[in-house]
Amino acid sequence: MIILADNQKVKLYWVPTAFKLENKTVKTLQVDGQTYRLQAPELTAELVTSIGNACRIARQHSLANMTVAEIVTIIDQAIEKWCHSDYPQRILAEKLLPAITGYDHTTVALEIKRFVRNFRKKELWRFIDTELDNPAILDDFHPQKSGQLTKAIGPTAIFHVFSSNIPGLQIWSLIMGLITKSANLGKTSLSEPLFPVLFSQTLAEVSPELAATIAILPWKGGTHDLEQAAIDSTNATIVYGSDQAVKSIHALVPDDKIFLHYGYKISFAMIGAEALTPEYYPQMVQKMAEDIAVYDQQSCLSPQTVFVEAGGTITPHQFAQLLAKALTNNQLKWPRAKLTTSEAVAVTRLRQESQIQALTDATIQVIASPDSTAWTVVYHQKPALMSSPLNRTIHVMAIDDLAQVPALLRPYQPFLQSCGLAVAPQRLLELGSQLGDAGIDRICAIGDMTRAQSGWHHDGRFNLLDLLKMVDIELGAEALAEHFDPDVE
Amino acid sequence: MLLENQVALVTGSSRGIGAAIAKKFAAEGAVVIINYLHNQQRADELVDTIATADGQAVALQADVRDAEAVGRMITTIQENLGTLNIVVNNALNHYQFDPKKRATNWQTDWSAYQNQIDGSVKGSFNVCQAALPLLQQQPGGRIINLVSNLIESPIVPYHDYITAKTALLGYTRTLASEVGAFGVQVNAIAPGLTYPTDSSVTTKNDVRERIIEQTPTGRLTIPEDIAGSAVFLASDLSANMTGQCLYVDGGLVMH
């Protein structure tokens, strides 16, 4: 049993057990009458290097020799613990994450529960089988259709630069690293450093050997000596975050090392007239409002604009009004996080600019929560894809025909990601294809926008294949080897 | 004040219950539109009374039974005030509440029913249809329909009137079911015999006393009683309450 909170001290890091780090309290939280002192280590480049080395050595003795099935089973057992409401780490996450991130506690509890289910055994195989015809090549050489023997080899060690916008999201990357049998060195930010630490503790409960290949360390992004040490002691780097964060790390990574990045993305929704019947329009509005409310649009999967097709029972304008009411309700159910001054200014600025435009342009209308920045709906009769200052701020675009949307996406092509889509099956594939051409890499149901399914090609890429290197033994080499068998005829 | 920055339309409000509601709304900070059919003088006088008390009101003529006239009235409100937050459907076809001279069911032909239905139901329908686009602009819109406690217990069976008012309660509920999602609340007030008003002066002392005898509070309803409930239903005090009917009759009808 891992001790979670030592005198209410909570460690914001995870390192192989041999390391005893100097701590200091970086934040004190009061939750439910209890004081929690969040502990972060004093880090130096030398320490990061030796932690990275220790993880690699531990990998050599454990993870490298495990089969993928064994690794999947360990992760599954860890996830199973998180699927129980009385699991201590989950209770701690549900208590502390809202206080650390500012997100509403009901949302955090619900979304974490839903998120971890993405990594049950059956879901993990979905990730793996989606990308590898024969997952056994992760363990050994197996013949391919072309005849040669192939084995897939993951990086010895991966340096993850996690983003902090969505609690828990870090373990997606961490788990992919484990499946490729890599040691993992994760850098968190102090905005959400906790979840991967708690999950590593769970892995240690199931398999101390596997957990010893992981280190999770918080430090301020842009601390180049620590980042360089982490990059030097690993052979692949995955960065999540702003374009600035991506560029800053990329500059440090030598060309011969794998560098993957998941930067700024924009998502939107499209609702067809056929989904706006008297029977369905209320749920379309509810689900759209939920996608906007979950994690206050901080996820790159969250919609920033919704295109509403004319010709349904409700007009796009009425959709905007209904959405406003639904967002009012959500504010009661799942209150939005408190904003920083700059976030609040961004929302207020959009409201003011739109209201000024609306004075001379009757095609724009602003509906906003009174006396607060809790939610904002900006209705536009002239459709365009628009980014939003987030925090429950949404543009509703009236459009005559959804088929016109792909042409509006062009300026944003490099940044496009998810599209929540509600249309009849007759239009699904054709629109899907046009959206794909326009740059979208995920088409999902309205109401599920922030919950990517297991096996999703994140930003259109491969979760595992991008990390793997294939080693082929050609037929000739194999045949030649046969000659050298001392027992050959 | 409970209705600050709100714009309220009260139909048929040059006198009686409507006038009491208009005055109370204005006293609570609302800008009130006094809609009237014929009596411009009384409507103007009410506007003056409200202005004297530092309230804001304007009088607008429109026959609520005439959809075009209602449309013009709502357009005038939109153009001059920019918004509309509260609608009180108080107007009805003229009716004299006289228990001694009332028409029995065999004396009441369809045209009498039609007149009452036009005044109560069609009138409210016309106003709601025209006003809802404005009420839906921002969550928080309110519609209040005036019915009658007679729909629950026809102590004097005014057939045409009661039938129309009962239909208006049905309209209140079905409308509430759909526009709740826009943040618009639709409720009804069912007054008991409200005295004195121009319509009720013909209800003589004997009937009034009979009603008082059966009333737990021991008195008739006065227009200000209805106005208080109207302020409640128009304000945030009644948040998340819709499709309901408040009986304001001293407890004569109880659920």
Side-chain angles (χ1 to χ4, degrees):
Chain A
M1 181 68 199
I2 303 293
I3 295 168
L4 286 174
D6 177 23
N7 294 327
Q8 291 88 50
K9 283 183 179 172
V10 178
K11 286 181 182 173
L12 298 180
Y13 59 92
W14 173 261
V15 286
T17 43
F19 289 88
K20 302 281 177 254
L21 304 189
E22 289 292 322
N23 285 331
K24 64 171 182 186
T25 301
V26 287
K27 203 171 189 176
T28 304
L29 296 175
Q30 297 277 351
V31 184
D32 297 341
Q34 198 164 359
T35 306
Y36 295 90
R37 288 180 229 289
L38 307 186
Q39 309 288 303
E42 303 273 10
L43 292 173
T44 61
E46 294 71 36
L47 193 53
V48 171
T49 303
S50 61
I51 291 170
N53 290 342
C55 292
R56 278 209 322 272
I57 292 163
R59 170 199 176 263
Q60 204 51 46
H61 293 109
S62 60
L63 198 53
N65 307 316
M66 290 181 184
T67 63
V68 169
E70 284 167 341
I71 298 167
V72 163
T73 300
I74 291 168
I75 298 168
D76 179 60
Q77 285 169 357
I79 290 296
E80 185 55 30
K81 286 174 182 276
W82 278 82
C83 292
H84 289 87
S85 59
D86 56 355
Y87 180 57
Q89 269 87 345
R90 174 166 153 185
I91 292 171
L92 197 65
E94 288 175 357
K95 267 191 187 178
L96 296 188
L97 285 175
I100 293 173
T101 60
Y103 290 127
D104 167 57
H105 68 94
T106 319
T107 307
V108 170
L110 189 64
E111 294 303 320
I112 285 203
K113 186 162 81 169
R114 287 173 169 166
F115 179 66
V116 294
R117 291 183 197 137
N118 276 320
F119 304 102
R120 284 181 165 145
K121 185 179 270 187
K122 62 192 174 71
E123 310 299 335
L124 292 171
W125 285 120
R126 211 161 249 142
F127 274 106
I128 298 165
D129 289 348
T130 298
E131 298 187 15
L132 296 170
D133 283 341
N134 181 5
I137 65 167
L138 286 162
D139 298 329
D140 213 339
F141 283 99
H142 284 273
Q144 301 299 293
K145 290 188 183 87
S146 54
Q148 84 266 26
L149 296 167
T150 297
K151 185 180 179 189
I153 297 186
T156 314
I158 301 172
F159 173 43
H160 307 258
V161 180
F162 297 129
S163 64
S164 57
N165 51 344
I166 305 302
L169 195 60
Q170 306 97 333
I171 69 164
W172 182 305
S173 195
L174 180 63
I175 287 173
M176 295 309 126
L178 292 172
I179 292 172
T180 60
K181 305 188 186 182
S182 310
N184 291 282
L185 173 54
K187 176 218 162 299
T188 57
S189 86
L190 284 171
S191 323
E192 203 291 80
L194 188 62
F195 196 93
V197 172
L198 295 179
F199 188 68
S200 301
Q201 291 171 352
T202 312
L203 287 170
E205 290 174 29
V206 180
S207 168
E209 301 78 25
L210 182 137
T213 69
I214 299 170
I216 308 290
L217 298 168
W219 71 72
K220 191 171 161 37
T223 313
H224 283 171
D225 61 330
L226 302 186
E227 281 153 9
Q228 192 65 64
I231 290 163
D232 291 345
S233 60
T234 54
N235 48 355
T237 297
I238 310 176
V239 187
Y240 295 81
S242 65
D243 287 344
Q244 196 189 345
V246 169
K247 274 187 192 139
S248 149
I249 297 285
H250 196 184
L252 305 176
V253 181
D255 289 344
D256 60 336
K257 293 194 176 187
I258 297 173
F259 179 79
L260 303 176
H261 60 94
Y262 298 94
Y264 175 78
K265 293 288 167 186
I266 183 167
S267 296
F268 62 92
M270 291 171 39
I271 300 179
E274 63 268 46
L276 297 174
T277 59
E279 186 185 13
Y280 285 114
Y281 83 76
Q283 33 168 309
M284 281 299 114
V285 172
Q286 290 308 320
K287 285 173 184 292
M288 196 71 259
E290 191 177 324
D291 281 337
I292 295 162
V294 172
Y295 290 135
D296 304 338
Q297 289 170 302
Q298 296 298 318
S299 165
C300 52
L301 311 166
S302 305
Q304 302 194 32
T305 287
V306 49
F307 294 96
V308 183
E309 196 172 47
T313 300
I314 56 168
T315 63
H317 185 232
Q318 283 175 311
F319 187 92
Q321 293 171 331
L322 288 161
L323 194 58
K325 168 61 176 162
L327 288 168
T328 312
N329 293 349
N330 281 349
Q331 177 63 13
L332 280 179
K333 197 161 54 169
W334 308 303
R336 199 209 48 202
K338 285 198 177 62
L339 300 191
T340 63
T341 308
S342 63
E343 286 173 322
V345 165
V347 173
T348 311
R349 187 183 300 137
L350 175 79
R351 284 183 178 188
Q352 285 168 347
E353 285 171 2
S354 306
Q355 275 156 348
I356 288 167
Q357 271 182 288
L359 290 176
T360 53
D361 183 350
T363 66
I364 293 174
Q365 196 193 330
V366 182
I367 316 176
S369 52
D371 311 321
S372 80
T373 57
W375 55 263
T376 310
V377 177
V378 186
Y379 169 75
H380 305 256
Q381 265 171 39
K382 294 176 193 152
L385 181 67
M386 289 182 77
S387 62
S388 134
L390 312 182
N391 294 304
R392 307 194 184 178
T393 307
I394 187 84
H395 296 282
V396 176
M397 302 288 170
I399 194 148
D400 292 334
D401 184 345
L402 289 183
Q404 297 162 352
V405 173
L408 301 174
L409 304 176
R410 273 189 208 113
Y412 297 89
Q413 188 172 25
F415 304 108
L416 295 178
Q417 192 200 62
S418 297
C419 173
L421 183 59
V423 293
Q426 291 78 0
R427 296 209 280 175
L428 180 63
L429 297 189
E430 195 182 340
L431 269 175
S433 180
Q434 289 168 354
L435 288 167
D437 289 344
I440 285 293
D441 60 70
R442 171 174 172 255
I443 292 165
C444 55
I446 306 287
D448 278 336
M449 287 193 69
T450 59
R451 299 179 198 107
Q453 280 177 4
S454 318
W456 170 46
H457 293 100
H458 189 179
D459 289 357
R461 298 212 303 259
F462 293 103
N463 289 287
L464 300 170
L465 282 177
D466 281 358
L467 289 167
L468 294 174
K469 189 186 76 172
M470 300 298 163
V471 185
D472 296 328
I473 298 178
E474 291 186 358
L475 279 171
E478 188 190 342
L480 187 61
E482 291 294 337
H483 292 296
F484 308 132
D485 183 343
D487 191 37
V488 78
E489 290 71 42
Chain B
M1 288 192 286
L2 290 166
L3 301 177
E4 222 161 357
N5 301 323
Q6 303 286 293
V7 176
L9 164 66
V10 185
T11 67
S13 60
S14 64
R15 56 187 174 160
I17 292 174
I21 292 173
K23 273 195 265 184
K24 192 100 168 168
F25 277 13
E28 290 295 342
V31 177
V32 185
I33 292 101
I34 314 286
N35 159 257
Y36 65 96
L37 178 59
H38 297 305
N39 207 331
Q40 184 175 357
Q41 193 190 338
R42 300 250 327 237
D44 288 343
E45 283 168 13
L46 181 58
V47 169
D48 288 344
T49 308
I50 287 172
T52 310
D54 290 334
Q56 298 180 75
V58 283
L60 281 182
Q61 194 281 336
D63 182 343
V64 295
R65 294 165 298 191
D66 176 352
E68 281 183 20
V70 169
R72 285 194 296 274
M73 172 172 69
I74 298 294
T75 304
T76 306
I77 293 170
Q78 182 174 17
E79 285 174 354
N80 289 280
L81 299 168
T83 186
L84 179 61
N85 311 100
I86 303 157
V87 166
V88 181
N89 287 303
N90 170 72
L92 76 162
N93 225 18
H94 177 70
Y95 204 80
Q96 205 65 53
F97 297 94
D98 186 344
K100 298 183 198 324
K101 292 186 185 161
R102 72 170 181 89
T104 58
N105 73 301
W106 56 89
Q107 291 169 330
T108 311
D109 61 17
W110 178 251
S111 66
Y113 286 90
Q114 190 65 57
N115 281 340
Q116 284 305 309
I117 287 169
D118 284 351
S120 285
V121 188
K122 188 179 175 189
S124 300
F125 166 84
N126 285 339
V127 174
C128 289
Q129 286 294 94
L132 273 167
L134 284 176
L135 295 176
Q136 290 169 359
Q137 276 180 354
Q138 179 83 18
R142 295 285 202 277
I143 295 172
I144 301 163
N145 295 331
L146 269 290
V147 295
S148 163
N149 75 335
L150 293 173
I151 65 175
E152 194 63 30
S153 176
I155 191 164
V156 184
Y158 299 114
H159 303 288
D160 43 3
Y161 171 80
I162 291 172
T163 301
K165 287 297 192 187
T166 307
L168 182 55
L169 182 60
Y171 179 61
T172 301
R173 289 173 174 158
T174 193
L175 189 60
S177 304
E178 188 123 317
V179 299
F182 287 93
V184 179
Q185 293 176 201
V186 190
N187 290 291
I189 299 175
L193 178 62
T194 304
Y195 193 90
T197 68
D198 287 358
S199 307
S200 63
V201 286
T202 47
T203 303
K204 299 298 182 196
N205 193 52
D206 55 338
V207 178
R208 298 206 302 267
E209 286 304 324
R210 188 152 53 88
I211 292 172
I212 288 169
E213 237 170 65
Q214 295 173 39
T215 302
T217 59
R219 70 167 175 87
L220 294 177
T221 302
I222 58 173
E224 288 69 25
D225 296 336
I226 309 304
S229 290
V231 168
F232 166 70
L233 288 177
S235 73
D236 277 346
L237 294 179
S238 64
N240 210 33
M241 177 175 163
T242 197
Q244 304 302 311
C245 180
L246 290 183
Y247 286 82
V248 185
D249 63 356
L252 196 61
V253 166
M254 291 189 190
H255 280 277

